[in-house]
Amino acid sequence: RQSAQYTGPDASMNNICFQVIKMFPFTSERKSMSMILKEENTGHFWFYMKGADVKMKDVVTKSEWLEESCLEMAEKGLRTLVFARKQMTEEQVNSFMHNYERANAILGERRADAVEDIMVGLEQGLELVCITGVEDQLQDDVTSSLETLGMCGVKVWMLTGDKVETATCIGRSTQLIPRQSEIYSLLARTVEEAEAGLVECEKRFHPQHSGYFIKQKWTLIIDGCLLYTSPSPRDS
C-alpha cells in the first residue's frame, strides 16, 4: 500500500489525503487503468477509473452526453480520456480484494479469465466524472518529410490507435490526406460488410472497372475491425 496526497480545490485549500489500497495499471487489452482509494479524512472508499471511451461507455451509468462529447473532441483531433468513479463500502473492498487474490492464485490459463471476471464485477455502475481531450502536437518536419517521401514515389500508410475521426483529422493536419482528396471510409463489423465494402471500393476507384484513368486523388481509411473481419487471400 502507498500513500498519496491531493490538495482540494475548495476555497480554504484544505488537504485531502488518500491511501492507495490497490492500483491496476493501464493495459492495451483492457484500455483503462484504475485504483481503489481510501479517503483518510472521512474513511470513505472510492474506486476511480479512466480509459478509452469504447471501454468506459460500458462501465458508467447511462449518459446522454458521453458519446457526443467524445465524437466532438475526436473530430477536432483530440485524444479523449473518460474518468469515472464510485463509492464503495469497506466490506465491498475487503470482499473484492479477497476474491482478486484468490483469482490471482489460480495456476494455468484459467487465471487470466478468473481475474477478468473479478474486474468486470468491480467495473459496474460508475458515475461519469469528466472527459478530457488532449492535443498531440506534430513533431518537427513531419509534413515536409511526408511530402518528400511522396515526391520520391514512396507510398505512406498511417497506422494509429486513435478513433477514425481523430485519425482523419491528424491525416489532414499532416497533409497525408490531400486537400482535394476524396475520402473513402471502409468500416466493417462482419465479413459480409467487409466483402461488400471492398467490392464497392474497387468499382469506384479501379481503372479497369471505371473505364478511365483516375486523376482525382483519393484516400482509403480502414479500422481495425475491418482487418480482423476481412476474408483471407485463401478465402477470396
Side-chain angles (χ1 to χ4, degrees):
R1 296 186 178 185
Q2 301 174 343
S3 294
Q5 190 176 65
Y6 167 73
T7 303
D10 57 354
S12 58
M13 295 301 293
N14 293 323
N15 289 336
I16 305 176
C17 298
F18 291 94
Q19 182 184 16
V20 180
I21 304 299
K22 183 66 178 178
M23 180 180 296
F24 307 96
F26 174 86
T27 63
S28 56
E29 293 78 15
R30 308 202 80 252
K31 298 181 175 64
S32 63
M33 72 166 294
S34 55
M35 62 176 61
I36 299 175
L37 304 173
K38 179 181 180 181
E39 189 176 345
E40 296 184 349
N41 303 50
T42 62
H44 295 160
F45 290 86
W46 294 92
F47 174 66
Y48 279 86
M49 183 176 179
K50 70 174 181 178
D53 59 301
V54 293
K55 166 74 175 185
M56 300 298 291
K57 68 179 181 180
D58 295 327
V59 304
V60 301
T61 55
K62 186 177 181 181
S63 170
E64 298 180 354
W65 55 272
L66 173 58
E67 292 190 20
E68 181 180 352
S69 298
C70 288
L71 179 60
E72 181 180 350
M73 290 185 181
E75 290 175 344
K76 296 178 180 179
L78 304 179
R79 289 185 168 89
T80 57
L81 270 180
V82 179
F83 291 76
R85 70 173 185 176
K86 72 174 180 181
Q87 191 169 354
M88 301 177 66
T89 64
E90 185 173 1
E91 291 74 16
Q92 289 174 330
V93 173
N94 292 334
S95 176
F96 167 80
M97 293 300 300
H98 174 72
N99 294 331
Y100 182 80
E101 291 172 0
R102 286 186 58 186
N104 264 311
I106 297 176
L107 300 178
E109 299 179 354
R110 292 180 52 247
R111 179 171 60 181
D113 292 336
V115 171
E116 179 65 19
D117 290 340
I118 298 299
M119 293 302 300
V120 169
L122 177 64
E123 297 168 349
Q124 292 182 357
L126 274 68
E127 172 193 3
L128 179 60
V129 176
C130 68
I131 302 172
T132 62
V134 179
E135 179 183 5
D136 284 348
Q137 296 289 338
L138 295 178
Q139 297 294 322
D140 296 338
D141 302 324
V142 168
T143 302
S144 59
S145 298
L146 291 175
E147 183 180 359
T148 301
L149 290 173
M151 293 173 61
C152 296
V154 178
K155 296 186 180 298
V156 179
W157 285 70
M158 183 178 74
L159 179 63
T160 173
D162 295 309
K163 295 171 66 68
V164 172
E165 295 80 8
T166 308
T168 303
C169 184
I170 295 174
R172 290 190 183 278
S173 65
T174 59
Q175 297 184 18
L176 187 60
I177 301 177
R179 294 182 180 179
Q180 304 301 325
S181 173
E182 180 178 354
I183 296 178
Y184 184 78
S185 297
L186 187 50
L187 315 177
R189 296 296 180 268
T190 64
V191 175
E192 291 75 17
E193 291 179 358
E195 291 177 342
L198 290 171
V199 171
E200 176 63 23
C201 181
E202 186 177 20
K203 287 182 179 179
R204 289 184 58 180
F205 300 108
H206 198 290
Q208 181 179 352
H209 296 283
S210 60
Y212 62 92
F213 182 79
I214 299 179
K215 295 183 179 179
Q216 175 69 31
K217 294 182 179 180
W218 65 285
T219 301
L220 175 64
I221 298 178
I222 60 178
D223 64 353
C225 291
L226 175 72
L227 298 178
Y228 181 79
T229 58
S230 294
S232 64
R234 295 179 181 179
D235 301 330
S236 301

